Amino acid sequence: MNTSFSSRIAAYFGALFLAAMGVLFALWYLGLPQLGLTGAGSQRLQEATRLIELTANHKHASLINGIKERRGDILIIAENKVLTQQLEQGDPALQQDLERVVSRLHRAYPDRYRHLLIVDPLSRRIRASSNAAELGQPFQDPTLIERAAKPGSSELVEQLAGQAGHAIAIVRQMHASNSDGYPSGKVVGILIAILDVSILLNDDWQSEPFQTNSPGITQLFDATRQLVAHSNGGLPAGEPFKLNPQVVEGFDGTLQERDSLGSEQIVVYRHLQLSSTQGWTLVHALNQDDALAGLKGNVNTLALAGLLLTLLALGLISLAARRITRPLRTLASTARQLGAGELSIRAAPQTQASSEIVALSDAFNAMAQSIQKDHQTLETRVQERTAELQRSQARQRTFFESTADAVLLLDNHLITDCNAAALQLFGASQREELLTRQPGELSPPQQSDGSDSLRSASDHLEQALRQGQLTMEWRHRRLDTGCLFLAEVLLNRVEIDGRVIVQATVRDISARKLAEQRLRLSEENLTITLQSIGDAVIATDAAGLITRMNATAERLTGWA
């Protein structure tokens, strides 16, 4: 069997270029460690590791510096001579003066402290507080006052007991002054400042230079391995990351671990020492897939370069083939005559031509004869194919109409088509009631968050066109009854007949939301039942920390 020379050249060069590009890509991405070549993937992981280590170090330093700044504030308040004299003399103006100090402090640093109070070291009762309602009450953690009042314990920084690990207490002794105005060493009060950890983290982390550029997620765990705070300043509903049980407290370093889904992660551990007996662990983790995500742009660049090289090579091959296949031009001229309508024309025999030309001439003659024969039946075949196309379109329309979810097609923010499920969902009797409407017109004037429905719907459609897909919850209104219902809407960017439009799939989730609301009401009823029990009820977690107590338990224990 004779094989075309031009086909062999194209096949050989195509295979060669594909193999070369594959090898180049493998070397670029994987490298060749035996020859000291580091792949782009390894380099990117190393860069990501260095970046998240810098981020973890910065956040660790920010936490330490934030606590130091607040310790300085507390030192200034503890050495306030007016307050110490009032403590020593039992002056009732102590509460008023402390409130003025706290007011100035809040004006200078809003929300820096959750609570400030002064406790008597002997009676362990509150002498002054930023919450005047606490005056005269015993402090919730008497053991903390006992430790703070010991000689030499001028300052303590501890996780506050009874706060589920979410507060830091800075405790400092307040000393009476001698005749020269210097501290005499006599402890007349214990100053306690309670810091909200989430506010402390927000205050430091939101201002850091890595806040918007650093990848990964940062979390803070206490000594019991309970999550204290999240990098966004809040406590998430679940724990997206759990401490490795093999990592001991105080460990500083970087490890590669697998999460619960089996994904590889780069995890940086930093220890934060609060006191001689208490410490926290700062964890910064990054999924390796996220670390390698930036390589997509480089892959695209490499693919474009390979495409350009392939096109250049194919251009050179085409020039060479043109020179080699000059005998084909005569045959091409004959083919043009055939195309002009001379169905009886045939290629002249070329006995001295190459096997490719002979085979092509024979094929051309056979083709010309077949064209002449099939010309009469061409119109019938066109009609058959047209009918097949119409059946295909009918099948697609049937699928569109038979789906259970409401489907809307939107072009330029206007509804151009819909299925029967959409008519039923929106209470329309015919399509014309929905067509040319905007989604905002099938909604109340405002959404649940107070946003304007027309404007918000337009913004969501533009976002779906940019991103390709968008899922949201939306309040719609039926046309027949005017009743509102909550829907889950999936917006997809699609192309139909050369136009880019939005396909909206709408599903009524009112029943699901009602079930969720009933579940919340059940939880509230449980809480009310607990509060109404006459006996003291206290619930703890696996670590022994109190998670819930009723009013009777609060009254008996004095805990709030």
Side-chain angles (χ1 to χ4, degrees), residues 395-409:
R395 287 194 298 270
Q396 293 178 358
R397 187 68 191 185
T398 300
F399 176 78
F400 177 74
E401 292 293 344
S402 62
T403 180
D405 292 329
V407 180
L408 306 173
L409 298 182

Side-chain angles (χ1 to χ4, degrees), residues 530-547:
L530 179 64
Q531 293 298 330
S532 63
I533 296 176
D535 295 331
V537 179
I538 300 176
T540 64
D541 58 15
L545 299 177
I546 296 175
T547 59

Side-chain angles (χ1 to χ4, degrees), residues 251-264:
F251 172 74
D252 279 350
T254 304
L255 300 175
Q256 287 191 348
E257 303 177 359
R258 288 185 178 272
D259 61 12
S260 58
L261 301 177
S263 300
E264 290 285 348

Side-chain angles (χ1 to χ4, degrees), residues 519-536:
L519 181 61
R520 287 194 299 269
L521 290 176
S522 176
E523 178 65 22
E524 292 175 0
N525 291 336
L526 176 62
T527 302
I528 293 173
T529 301
L530 179 64
Q531 293 298 330
S532 63
I533 296 176
D535 295 331

Side-chain angles (χ1 to χ4, degrees), residues 235-532:
L235 195 62
E239 295 185 10
F241 177 84
K242 292 186 178 180
L243 285 178
N244 187 337
Q246 298 180 352
V247 174
V248 299
E249 183 179 1
F251 172 74
D252 279 350
T254 304
L255 300 175
Q256 287 191 348
E257 303 177 359
R258 288 185 178 272
D259 61 12
S260 58
L261 301 177
S263 300
E264 290 285 348
Q265 289 192 332
I266 306 172
V267 185
V268 179
Y269 292 87
R270 292 293 182 265
H271 183 68
L272 179 65
Q273 191 70 36
L274 293 180
S275 64
S276 59
T277 59
Q278 292 183 344
W280 286 353
T281 300
L282 185 146
V283 177
H284 191 82
L286 173 65
N287 193 295
Q288 286 194 9
D289 293 338
D290 295 335
L292 296 175
L295 287 179
K296 292 182 179 179
N298 295 335
V299 171
N300 293 336
T301 301
L302 185 60
L304 180 59
L307 177 61
L308 293 177
L309 289 174
T310 302
L311 292 176
L312 178 60
L314 291 177
L316 295 176
I317 294 172
S318 298
L319 292 176
R322 186 176 180 83
R323 294 178 59 87
I324 296 173
T325 58
R326 279 197 183 100
L328 293 176
R329 296 179 183 177
T330 302
L331 186 58
S333 178
T334 306
R336 284 191 294 269
Q337 291 176 326
L338 177 65
E342 298 182 25
L343 301 181
S344 60
I345 193 171
R346 298 292 184 269
Q350 301 183 31
T351 56
Q352 302 298 323
S354 64
S355 60
E356 289 87 355
I357 300 300
V358 172
L360 189 57
S361 297
D362 294 340
F364 175 81
N365 291 334
M367 178 189 66
Q369 185 175 358
S370 177
I371 291 175
Q372 190 174 16
K373 179 180 179 181
D374 296 338
H375 180 69
Q376 298 175 350
T377 59
L378 180 59
E379 185 176 353
T380 303
R381 293 186 179 182
V382 170
Q383 292 176 352
E384 292 176 353
R385 293 184 180 181
T386 301
E388 183 180 355
L389 179 59
Q390 292 174 348
R391 288 194 297 271
S392 176
Q393 292 176 344
R395 287 194 298 270
Q396 293 178 358
R397 187 68 191 185
T398 300
F399 176 78
F400 177 74
E401 292 293 344
S402 62
T403 180
D405 292 329
V407 180
L408 306 173
L409 298 182
L410 300 103
D411 190 358
N412 197 22
H413 299 187
L414 298 177
I415 299 174
T416 60
D417 200 359
C418 63
N419 64 356
L423 299 180
Q424 182 179 2
L425 179 64
F426 289 101
S429 58
Q430 53 187 353
R431 279 187 170 82
E432 286 71 16
E433 297 182 40
L434 295 182
L435 299 185
T436 71
R437 288 180 180 265
Q438 297 185 28
E441 298 178 39
L442 303 175
S443 311
Q446 291 183 331
Q447 291 297 306
S448 301
D449 59 358
S451 62
D452 181 76
S453 292
L454 287 173
R455 180 177 299 176
S456 182
S458 178
D459 293 342
H460 286 313
L461 289 173
E462 291 296 333
Q463 186 178 358
L465 287 173
R466 291 193 304 269
Q467 297 179 354
Q469 187 180 81
L470 179 66
T471 302
M472 63 181 182
E473 290 186 359
W474 189 263
R475 293 175 66 206
H476 275 297
R477 184 193 300 274
R478 290 181 59 89
L479 295 176
D480 52 355
T481 63
C483 295
L484 301 181
F485 64 93
L486 186 61
E488 181 181 65
V489 182
L490 173 62
L491 301 179
N492 286 300
R493 182 182 63 206
V494 297
E495 182 175 347
I496 298 179
D497 296 333
R499 289 187 60 84
V500 177
I501 64 174
V502 175
Q503 176 182 293
T505 303
V506 185
R507 181 175 297 167
D508 189 348
I509 59 171
S510 301
R512 188 182 74 191
K513 288 297 182 180
L514 180 60
E516 294 175 355
Q517 183 180 7
R518 290 176 177 173
L519 181 61
R520 287 194 299 269
L521 290 176
S522 176
E523 178 65 22
E524 292 175 0
N525 291 336
L526 176 62
T527 302
I528 293 173
T529 301
L530 179 64
Q531 293 298 330
S532 63

Side-chain angles (χ1 to χ4, degrees), residues 74-89 118-119 121 148-155 171-178 181-191:
I74 300 307
L75 174 61
I76 294 175
I77 298 175
E79 294 182 352
N80 188 302
K81 294 182 180 180
V82 174
L83 296 179
T84 55
Q85 289 176 1
Q86 291 173 340
L87 278 170
E88 186 176 13
Q89 298 171 4
I118 300 175
V119 180
K150 291 182 179 180
S153 299
S154 59
E155 182 186 64
V171 186
R172 193 166 189 91
Q173 295 178 353
M174 300 180 70
H175 300 98
S177 302
N178 57 22
Y182 294 101
S184 63
K186 177 183 177 182
V187 180
V188 295
I190 303 297
L191 176 62

